[in-house]
């Protein structure tokens, strides 16, 4: 997922070696390093989670703190080494993984001043996205890209859909506020909008639900709407995924058929030989 | 989204200039005007929302009222100017945005007589749909049209589906009313229908849920149905979206046919090659 | 939706005329009759619903009973006339609408012996499916058929999917029964299966929800499963709907392109003239 | 679903006959045997379920135990006979159905030592998957394969999607833990993650729901996300199902290629015309 950061021969030997260990996975040491990182990420996120559970924290607070310090020191050293060994430092620092690597250590230092920010250490989990590289899972990576690309390509349509949906929920929420007349859960328009979103997305917590017959009738209309318009994002993404083909260049020279499998030797529509 | 309302040279100069500022976004003043409108819409809807929250209303009631009067006066003047400066007044007044512009001021004047109607001011939010024009977001507009068109084209099928679904819910609700025998939440058939809709749409508030074993068994059947038939609206819209073209610019150079699919290599009307 | 029941000239004149009024909608009287039926159906179902609401029933019980008797007499006469006037009686009686017409009157007579069956009168609502014929809504009927056909064609796949799902829910429910150890809502395996279905279909009433950490963890897995496998029925129906094309015969004689619009004169793939 | 386990003539006659009865369904005895099995499976799972209901267990405990012993003895004998009569024992024992057959008896013997494992007898239900073979429901089996294959083929994409989703839920849950500040249901990060999954999958039990305005606002964002990204698994599976052929019989008469799409007119391997 990170661009190739080639090194030039002038670099000192240890930098080149370290670069290979830290950034690549094609050596034994490189693989071991990546694996160690993965273990530390999992350990670190587990610790953050367990620290939040008062039962565990009461017993093991000191252990958690010590482990967190050690892991953070390790991650910090690693981050510094990444910057040192790479040639195009700027491009790394502002790359997707560069930012994540930074966010994985920042909360610890911040938490020395603002304790609550400690929990942002959970962002370390994002580093797990590198996992596919470690195990050389090329197919998985391709599939990951496939999903990300399909979401990216349909994002504009989905944003507009969400804009429509939000306007719809605001209006329905206000209407419901007038109908349910300040009852519990409908004390204000924002509250009613919250209810409208809970309903239209078919989440339906039930912490707020209509009481009056008219309110229930409106709810029914809203639920049926939600049940129907869930088709919109689904349709958008599905259409997008169908559009994406593995091999977009292949096309039959005679009939223009574009649906040509990778293993095809003849066009399945007109029988023309595919070169 | 509104049709071009061309002006003819006989119109006085100020009318023409005002028309350009109010209706168009291609001059600096026109853009500033649209932006000001957008800010006022957001401000106005925020005020309506906050007014409904008793904590805010208690403190800032006067401010809210004054701001609302000012904004409404502005919107009223704007609406009158729109009618004055446009040539085809009738067509504007009954256009989608003409009606919305009117609905954006009506509730205020109505609320002088019927206070509760004040909250209909939230309809002002619909004016936000013009936002794409302001920022010249042609791609977004196209995507918006895409969604609206797909919904429009599949609306008939969805209405029929909803008719089926409503009949289904009425029957299931009545059945459940007999099964759960007047228990809480199933006091009457309309109540039971409400429950059936809540269940089949997978909203599941939980304010009403079956108690008897037979009722639970029926619920299971209903849930499995709902889980399966959500496929219907999704299938309808997805099929519709696949049918639609994404590229609205394509046009046949020979016969001017604009209905050209994305995968077309020849015009389906005149057989001309599409480049 | 009902097959043409042609009459032969030997039939007496009044039978032929009545047949036309009752079964067809192409005369003024026939339309009026269908409309009257529609009104009566809506009135009748409304009465059944309102009767179940104790507030209304207390006040208007007598009115409801009288109206129901009148409507049922009317429906009975109509049913008898349908049988008399039609030639192929057997085929009508066992047709979809023939059965519905019968079910629309049966509950009333049954309720004289078993009062609770009265509520089955709600089945009258199914007669509303004839509504499309009344208004000559050919497009709507076609769309209705489209949905029914798509569901029918994919029903076998959906049944198998539901069988898989039920087995899955039974196993998960039993597992949960062991995990949550007889807690409230998980008192027995059937109860736990009910919870599993509520969860996997994303209904989520909340009347039963996991309490132990392990139970919550299992729930998370189950919810993620439900969220993913909802894709299966959707995919089945969508694929089915895409397969159905309006004009299945049209195909380009040169390149075999089957995606040919109704208004196409040339193949959009190879430019061949479509005859 | 199990591979053909051919027998060779050297086998003794009774082995061959038993093999045919137990493994095949093409004789009267074989059909009867399969049917008897199906009844026993249904009976056995019903008993396990009813045993878990205290009302039934109190009355019929002894009956349940006796029946279970009998059925298990039968299943054990059957399992042993399957191993004896089949030639390739190893391949059967480790096949899908071989393992299920074993799991169908194991819990009983385990429960003699660890009582709770008794409920794993519910796994017997998986044996029902053989039901299609019994009734020679070839179409159903094909459809079952179709679903399994579509899920298998899209499983890698779905796993990645779930990985993304889990990381997303962990981060959102942690954020919510900070926002809702240790309130009920948000006592720890794992708890908050549970809530995030409940929300994003649109299950929405309502056992945990946000209380603070900021928490509700975040919930709205999360619900809208969940409502949108449900499109991803749906899109994946739908695209997969579209790719798959429905007609498994089609084969190229010249080169024997069996991978022939439904819309193919020519073999993609050798260019032969498909009739």
């Amino acid at each position: 997922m990170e661009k190739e950061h080639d090194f030039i021969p002038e670099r000192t030997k240890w930098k080149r070696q370290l670069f290979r260990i830290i950034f690549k996975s094609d050596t034994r040491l490189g693989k071991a390093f990546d694996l160690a990182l993965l273990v530390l990420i999992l350990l670190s996120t587990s610790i953050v989670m367990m620290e939040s559970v008062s039962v565990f924290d009461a017993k093991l607070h000191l252990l958690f703190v010590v482990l967190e310090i050690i892991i953070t020191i390790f991650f910090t050293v690693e981050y510094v080494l990444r910057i040192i060994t790479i040639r195009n430092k700027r491009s790394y620092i502002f790359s997707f993984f560069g930012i994540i690597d930074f966010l994985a250590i920042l909360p610890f230092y911040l938490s020395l001043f603002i304790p609550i920010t400690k929990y942002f250490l959970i962002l370390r989990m994002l580093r797990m996205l590198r996992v596919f590289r470690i195990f050389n899972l090329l197919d998985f990576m391709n599939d990951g890209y496939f999903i990300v690309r399909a979401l990216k390509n349909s994002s504009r349509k989905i944003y507009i859909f969400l804009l429509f949906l939000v306007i719809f929920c605001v209006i329905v929420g206000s209407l419901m506020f007038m109908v349910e007349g300040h009852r519990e859960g409908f004390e204000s328009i924002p509250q009613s909008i919250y209810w409208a979103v809970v309903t239209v997305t078919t989440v339906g917590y039930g912490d707020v639900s209509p009481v009056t017959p008219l309110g229930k009738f409106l709810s029914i209309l809203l639920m049926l709407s939600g049940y129907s318009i869930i088709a919109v994002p689904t349709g958008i993404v599905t259409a997008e995924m169908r559009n994406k083909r593995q091999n977009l260049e292949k096309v039959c020279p005679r009939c223009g058929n574009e649906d040509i499998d990778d293993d095809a030797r003849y066009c399945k529509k007109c029988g023309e030989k595919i070169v």
Side-chain angles (χ1 to χ4, degrees), chain A:
Chain A
M1 298 191 184
E2 42 210 299
K3 286 211 230 127
E4 278 284 335
H5 303 282
D6 291 311
F7 52 92
I8 46 167
E10 294 95 74
R11 283 203 285 172
T12 52
K13 205 184 158 209
W14 70 267
K15 266 196 192 177
R16 261 183 289 155
Q17 279 173 337
L18 254 176
F19 175 83
R20 249 197 135 168
I21 293 167
I22 298 177
F23 277 97
K24 302 223 165 184
S25 271
D26 53 358
T27 57
R28 263 186 77 175
L29 265 172
K31 263 208 175 69
F33 179 82
D34 280 348
L35 215 63
L37 266 188
L38 185 61
V39 171
L40 282 182
I41 293 165
L42 287 175
L43 184 65
S44 170
T45 44
S46 308
I47 289 172
V48 177
M49 283 191 203
M50 285 193 289
E51 235 190 310
S52 74
V53 184
S54 48
V55 192
F56 293 138
D57 197 42
K59 284 194 206 142
L60 303 163
H61 186 71
L62 202 70
L63 177 70
F64 291 157
V65 170
V66 171
L67 275 173
E68 229 157 58
I69 291 174
I70 294 172
I71 294 173
T72 305
I73 289 173
F74 183 92
F75 280 178
T76 311
V77 170
E78 183 226 348
Y79 182 66
V80 171
L81 283 180
R82 274 180 194 267
I83 293 178
I84 290 175
T85 59
I86 208 160
R87 226 180 123 239
N88 194 340
K89 293 174 209 316
R90 214 190 133 88
S91 137
Y92 162 69
I93 291 173
F94 293 103
S95 73
F96 177 68
F97 278 107
I99 290 166
I100 284 176
D101 291 344
F102 181 64
L103 286 180
I105 50 173
L106 181 68
F108 180 83
Y109 298 108
L110 261 182
S111 72
L112 299 178
F113 308 101
I114 317 164
I116 189 79
T117 58
K118 180 180 60 187
Y119 296 112
F120 280 114
L121 282 176
I122 214 88
L123 289 172
R124 279 175 182 170
M125 222 185 161
L126 285 172
R127 300 194 73 186
M128 271 185 66
L129 291 176
R130 265 201 190 106
V131 78
F132 301 125
R133 208 201 43 181
I134 307 173
F135 298 111
N136 255 327
L137 300 168
L138 202 74
D139 286 340
F140 275 87
M141 260 179 74
N142 275 340
D143 284 347
Y145 279 131
F146 173 82
I147 292 172
V148 169
R149 200 178 47 222
L151 276 179
K152 214 180 220 166
N153 286 340
S154 45
S155 60
R156 211 173 53 201
K157 288 204 186 83
I158 287 180
Y159 287 145
I160 292 175
F161 168 70
L162 288 179
L163 177 67
F164 287 167
L165 195 62
V166 165
I167 293 181
F168 180 66
C169 285
V170 168
I171 291 173
V172 169
S174 308
L175 211 67
M176 201 65 182
F177 170 67
M178 290 187 260
V179 165
E180 285 283 325
H182 310 264
R183 266 189 198 73
E184 208 207 321
F186 299 94
E187 294 93 354
S188 65
I189 290 184
Q191 280 272 22
S192 304
I193 292 170
Y194 165 75
W195 166 84
V197 174
V198 167
T199 302
V200 93
T201 57
T202 78
V203 169
Y205 283 133
D207 54 346
V208 187
S209 57
V211 177
T212 60
L214 184 55
K216 288 189 177 181
F217 182 73
L218 277 177
S219 300
I220 287 178
L221 297 186
L222 187 56
M223 284 181 250
L224 292 176
S225 306
Y227 193 64
S228 301
I229 56 182
I230 199 171
V232 174
T234 305
I236 291 170
V237 173
T238 305
E240 192 56 51
M241 284 186 172
R242 283 287 302 157
N243 283 342
K244 296 291 132 209
R245 283 179 55 242
Q246 304 300 352
N247 194 334
L248 291 163
E249 270 83 50
K250 271 193 187 169
V251 57
C252 171
R254 189 158 89 191
C255 73
N257 171 25
E258 289 172 356
D259 181 17
I260 290 170
D261 292 350
D262 285 344
D263 61 347
R265 286 201 302 262
Y266 292 87
C267 171
K268 68 177 180 179
K269 289 288 187 189
C270 72
E272 180 78 5
K273 189 151 181 72
I274 306 289
V275 203

Short mmCIF file of all heavy atoms in Angstrom, two decimals, chain A residues 19 40 63 113 120 141 178 188 222 254:
data_model
loop_
_atom_site.label_atom_id
_atom_site.label_comp_id
_atom_site.label_asym_id
_atom_site.label_seq_id
_atom_site.Cartn_x
_atom_site.Cartn_y
_atom_site.Cartn_z
N PHE A 19 16.34 -0.23 6.04
CA PHE A 19 15.22 0.07 5.16
C PHE A 19 14.52 -1.22 4.71
O PHE A 19 13.30 -1.33 4.73
CB PHE A 19 15.70 0.86 3.94
CG PHE A 19 14.63 1.10 2.92
CD1 PHE A 19 13.74 2.15 3.07
CD2 PHE A 19 14.48 0.27 1.83
CE1 PHE A 19 12.74 2.37 2.14
CE2 PHE A 19 13.48 0.48 0.89
CZ PHE A 19 12.61 1.54 1.05
N LEU A 40 2.76 -6.71 18.40
CA LEU A 40 2.74 -5.54 19.28
C LEU A 40 1.48 -4.72 19.10
O LEU A 40 0.90 -4.20 20.06
CB LEU A 40 3.97 -4.67 19.02
CG LEU A 40 5.27 -5.19 19.64
CD1 LEU A 40 6.41 -4.22 19.34
CD2 LEU A 40 5.12 -5.34 21.15
N LEU A 63 0.97 -2.99 35.30
CA LEU A 63 1.44 -3.78 34.16
C LEU A 63 1.07 -3.10 32.85
O LEU A 63 1.89 -2.96 31.94
CB LEU A 63 0.81 -5.18 34.22
CG LEU A 63 1.15 -6.09 33.05
CD1 LEU A 63 2.61 -6.51 33.08
CD2 LEU A 63 0.25 -7.33 33.04
N PHE A 113 -0.43 14.98 29.02
CA PHE A 113 -1.03 16.27 29.39
C PHE A 113 -2.55 16.15 29.52
O PHE A 113 -3.14 16.67 30.45
CB PHE A 113 -0.67 17.32 28.32
CG PHE A 113 0.80 17.38 28.05
CD1 PHE A 113 1.34 16.77 26.94
CD2 PHE A 113 1.66 18.04 28.95
CE1 PHE A 113 2.71 16.80 26.71
CE2 PHE A 113 3.02 18.06 28.71
CZ PHE A 113 3.56 17.45 27.60
N PHE A 120 -7.10 7.18 22.37
CA PHE A 120 -6.87 7.30 20.93
C PHE A 120 -5.78 6.32 20.47
O PHE A 120 -5.58 6.13 19.28
CB PHE A 120 -6.49 8.73 20.54
CG PHE A 120 -7.67 9.65 20.44
CD1 PHE A 120 -7.85 10.70 21.31
CD2 PHE A 120 -8.62 9.43 19.46
CE1 PHE A 120 -8.94 11.53 21.21
CE2 PHE A 120 -9.72 10.26 19.34
CZ PHE A 120 -9.88 11.32 20.23
N MET A 141 -4.99 -8.30 -0.94
CA MET A 141 -4.75 -6.89 -1.19
C MET A 141 -5.57 -6.40 -2.37
O MET A 141 -6.20 -5.35 -2.33
CB MET A 141 -3.27 -6.65 -1.44
CG MET A 141 -2.57 -6.12 -0.22
SD MET A 141 -0.83 -5.87 -0.56
CE MET A 141 -0.89 -4.39 -1.57
N MET A 178 -44.09 17.74 15.96
CA MET A 178 -45.40 18.39 16.06
C MET A 178 -46.48 17.37 16.42
O MET A 178 -47.38 17.65 17.20
CB MET A 178 -45.74 19.07 14.74
CG MET A 178 -44.87 20.28 14.48
SD MET A 178 -45.39 21.19 13.02
CE MET A 178 -44.22 20.58 11.83
N SER A 188 -37.67 17.60 21.56
CA SER A 188 -37.21 18.69 20.72
C SER A 188 -37.03 18.17 19.30
O SER A 188 -37.06 16.97 19.06
CB SER A 188 -35.89 19.23 21.24
OG SER A 188 -34.91 18.22 21.12
N LEU A 222 -42.61 5.90 7.54
CA LEU A 222 -41.16 6.12 7.57
C LEU A 222 -40.40 4.79 7.45
O LEU A 222 -39.41 4.69 6.73
CB LEU A 222 -40.79 6.82 8.88
CG LEU A 222 -39.34 7.28 8.99
CD1 LEU A 222 -38.97 8.19 7.84
CD2 LEU A 222 -39.10 7.98 10.31
N ARG A 254 -14.49 -7.62 -33.50
CA ARG A 254 -15.57 -7.68 -34.49
C ARG A 254 -16.89 -7.15 -33.95
O ARG A 254 -17.50 -6.29 -34.55
CB ARG A 254 -15.77 -9.13 -34.95
CG ARG A 254 -16.74 -9.18 -36.12
CD ARG A 254 -16.59 -10.43 -36.95
NE ARG A 254 -17.42 -11.50 -36.45
CZ ARG A 254 -17.34 -12.76 -36.84
NH1 ARG A 254 -16.45 -13.12 -37.74
NH2 ARG A 254 -18.12 -13.68 -36.35
#
